[in-house]
Amino acid sequence: MPANDDVEARLVALEIELPPLPTPIANYLPFRLDGSTIYLAGQGPRCLDDTLCTGRVGADFGVEEAYRHARLVGARLLSAARAAAGSLGKVQAVKVFGMLNATPDFTSHSEVINGCSDLFVDVLGDFGRHARSVVGVNSLANNMSMEIEAIFRIRD
């Protein structure tokens, strides 16, 4: 089991700075802890200027940029998991659900959400591996490019 120091060292080595715990934009919590299970609210990607990354995958940008958006969302989800558990060295990813604001003809959904999945494995090692679902949708709140939610568990 990786210790918290190992996970924090990985973050430094990968030059990843997790953003602050996301503030909900409506009447919900960033996470709900139920026993050892952490349910993380869906997050959208924030670009470098901290504005919401908007647009449709397949029209406004392609797989590579959308992959980067998914990685940004993954960092926000890790931030929420760390806040819920007190340490990323204690968590294990269980399930990821990604929703892409995509054109009807876009078919590379899994390649995009790999941005989030790859980040979880990069940071948490084998404890970052998870079950996953991804769908394309006609629209998302505020025209964000994607929304990803996740379930983690706190390890003994």
Side-chain angles (χ1 to χ4, degrees):
M1 285 189 214
N4 186 48
D5 291 345
D6 296 337
V7 173
E8 294 301 325
R10 262 194 224 122
L11 287 170
V12 170
L14 294 168
E15 298 180 0
I16 297 170
E17 186 175 332
L18 296 182
L21 180 65
T23 302
I25 59 173
N27 190 15
Y28 62 89
L29 300 170
F31 62 85
R32 169 66 77 183
L33 189 57
D34 182 19
S36 63
T37 303
I38 307 168
Y39 296 91
L40 300 177
Q43 297 289 331
R46 293 271 173 190
C47 296
L48 294 177
D49 63 357
D50 202 38
T51 61
L52 198 59
C53 302
T54 59
R56 297 190 84 186
V57 183
D60 300 310
F61 43 85
V63 171
E64 287 181 20
E65 187 173 349
Y67 176 97
R68 287 190 296 274
H69 289 190
R71 199 164 171 94
L72 291 170
V73 176
R76 292 169 59 84
L77 290 167
L78 286 174
S79 179
R82 179 167 61 186
S87 162
L88 283 178
K90 296 179 176 181
V91 301
Q92 178 177 11
V94 175
K95 172 80 172 164
V96 167
F97 178 55
M99 297 158 276
L100 297 182
N101 183 1
T103 59
D105 60 335
F106 185 78
T107 60
S108 298
H109 302 74
S110 291
E111 291 175 53
V112 169
I113 299 301
N114 278 344
C116 180
S117 297
D118 291 348
L119 178 69
F120 286 0
V121 173
D122 289 347
V123 172
L124 301 173
D126 282 339
F127 290 112
R129 298 192 185 286
H130 53 270
R132 185 177 83 182
S133 301
V134 60
V135 297
V137 297
N138 189 45
S139 67
L140 285 170
N142 301 311
N143 195 36
M144 64 184 158
S145 61
M146 67 188 61
E147 182 172 352
I148 305 173
E149 63 181 45
I151 301 170
F152 281 74
R153 76 173 186 88
I154 299 173
R155 297 181 285 115
D156 296 326

